[in-house]
Amino acid sequence: MRLQRLALAMAGVGLLAASVVSAPATADTTDSKPWSDRTKQTNTTKAGAACLVSTAFPSAAGTVAEADVIAGRPAQGLQYDAFKFVGTRANATWYLASNAALTQFYYYGLLLQGGNLYRQTTYIYEDDRAPLATFKKVGSGWTSFKTIATSNLNTYNARHQFLYGLNSNGSLYRYSIVGAGIKSYGSFPGFKGFKTMTVISETATYDTLLMTTTAGALWTVRIPTAASTKPILKRIRSGGWQNFESLVVENCGNRGGLLIVGVDNNTQTGTLYAMSKANGAATALTGYGPIHDVVFNGVDTVRETSYYDQLVGE
């Protein structure tokens, strides 16, 4: 089944490559591809394309488009037709899963609409039907949250799911996700100047967030999984990241390296970077430059991945 091959391909494989860092460019004009084309890509095809980042970018107007970003020089993108969604202002990772019989595949994730938190389930098909998105309200009181991110560790010996919310009051909040329920799991002050965040590590003992500040610094924030434990912050770079409203990451290679897609909403462009396993200021960080053939026209851009794919960036 082609969708089964898509599920296997979502993890991405390949080697890191390096190039000179380039600034974001004006968005390319491009023709998007039918969404059904995505289900026809085999695991072999994606493996041969080196490292790959699959992204989704929901809009405030109630649509969502998707794109695959392929590492290379120049960085290439494959954009797919937009389909009906719901207007959002912040979104978290989309996870690909299936029913037990492997006859129905779907993405799921969390989003903010106004002051409410919703769970979306988006069903995908092998034929020419557009994906079908459904929504369920999870909670209210989210008006002051600027952005959200989720972790999802699902290994044979350890499991956890957390929701992180960056609040305009300067605190980072954490919630434990158990089934359809979300329970408060503590908060951390000291994040007033931070702007974007995404998860780069999911382990039995900690999660790590990659975050930027409004001044353009790039940081890792390691948060132990035990409740009421303090995060450990390390600065990777002191500037240069202020233009990005979203960061999307994916594993690349077998040494903990990552690809990073930085998205500038003002120009609707993306820039691709490669990063070694995070280690503060000693982290190696190189750039592939602007991503061609993708117009990132969402309110934010998030990772699409499989339910079982674990990030190991720190």
Side-chain angles (χ1 to χ4, degrees):
M1 177 180 288
R2 290 176 297 184
L3 281 172
Q4 288 175 278
R5 293 197 295 268
L6 174 63
L8 292 172
M10 291 299 295
V13 293
L15 300 173
L16 284 171
S19 63
V20 178
V21 175
S22 301
T26 303
D28 292 339
T29 300
T30 185
D31 294 325
S32 59
K33 300 177 181 297
W35 205 95
S36 57
D37 279 8
R38 209 175 201 215
T39 67
K40 298 173 185 176
Q41 296 184 73
T42 65
N43 189 41
T44 301
T45 299
K46 286 197 172 185
C51 292
L52 177 148
V53 187
S54 290
T55 68
F57 30 105
S59 73
T63 62
V64 60
E66 296 167 293
D68 292 331
V69 178
I70 302 167
R73 193 172 187 179
Q76 296 294 330
L78 297 173
Q79 185 162 340
Y80 300 91
D81 288 346
F83 57 88
K84 187 177 180 180
F85 200 61
V86 69
T88 72
R89 65 178 184 86
N91 299 266
T93 296
W94 286 35
Y95 298 99
L96 181 64
S98 72
N99 62 6
L102 298 179
T103 57
Q104 178 65 73
F105 286 79
Y106 57 90
Y107 286 105
Y108 69 91
L110 296 172
L111 62 90
L112 297 182
Q113 185 184 56
N116 297 318
L117 178 68
Y118 285 85
R119 186 186 307 276
Q120 62 88 3
T121 303
T122 300
Y123 297 93
I124 58 177
Y125 308 97
E126 284 194 86
D127 55 29
D128 292 331
R129 285 177 291 173
L132 174 64
T134 64
F135 307 91
K136 183 177 181 180
K137 185 176 176 179
V138 178
S140 58
W142 290 78
T143 303
S144 59
F145 285 88
K146 300 187 293 183
T147 187
I148 58 175
T150 51
S151 66
N152 180 53
L153 178 65
N154 190 14
T155 62
Y156 72 95
N157 61 349
R159 294 185 180 185
H160 72 250
Q161 295 181 70
F162 289 123
L163 165 64
Y164 297 92
L166 184 60
N167 199 293
S168 58
N169 66 11
S171 290
L172 178 66
Y173 289 77
R174 178 169 58 169
Y175 300 84
S176 177
I177 305 172
V178 181
I182 295 178
K183 180 181 179 181
S184 178
Y185 204 69
S187 63
F188 314 102
F191 289 85
K192 187 69 174 179
F194 284 81
K195 179 181 179 182
T196 69
M197 66 178 181
T198 191
V199 175
I200 63 167
S201 278
E202 302 154 310
T203 78
T205 57
Y206 65 89
D207 285 338
T208 301
L209 303 178
L210 186 68
M211 303 183 70
T212 66
T213 67
T214 54
L218 183 69
W219 293 77
T220 55
V221 180
R222 178 185 287 199
I223 305 176
T225 54
S228 303
T229 51
K230 295 182 179 180
I232 302 167
L233 280 71
K234 293 182 180 181
R235 189 171 64 185
I236 294 177
R237 295 293 186 271
S238 59
W241 292 78
Q242 64 275 5
N243 290 334
F244 299 132
E245 281 73 38
S246 298
L247 301 176
V248 187
V249 305
E250 188 54 85
N251 294 319
C252 186
N254 57 9
R255 296 183 179 180
L258 296 172
L259 290 181
I260 306 172
V261 174
V263 177
D264 182 344
N265 285 358
N266 294 323
T267 59
Q268 298 185 345
T269 58
T271 304
L272 185 64
Y273 299 87
M275 189 177 86
S276 67
K277 200 173 185 73
N279 184 25
T283 305
L285 185 64
T286 57
Y288 290 89
I291 298 164
H292 293 262
D293 300 323
V294 179
V295 178
F296 292 95
N297 58 359
V299 295
D300 56 9
T301 304
V302 298
R303 178 183 182 229
E304 289 184 328
T305 186
S306 81
Y307 174 68
Y308 294 101
D309 188 19
Q310 175 190 353
L311 287 165
V312 292
E314 190 200 37

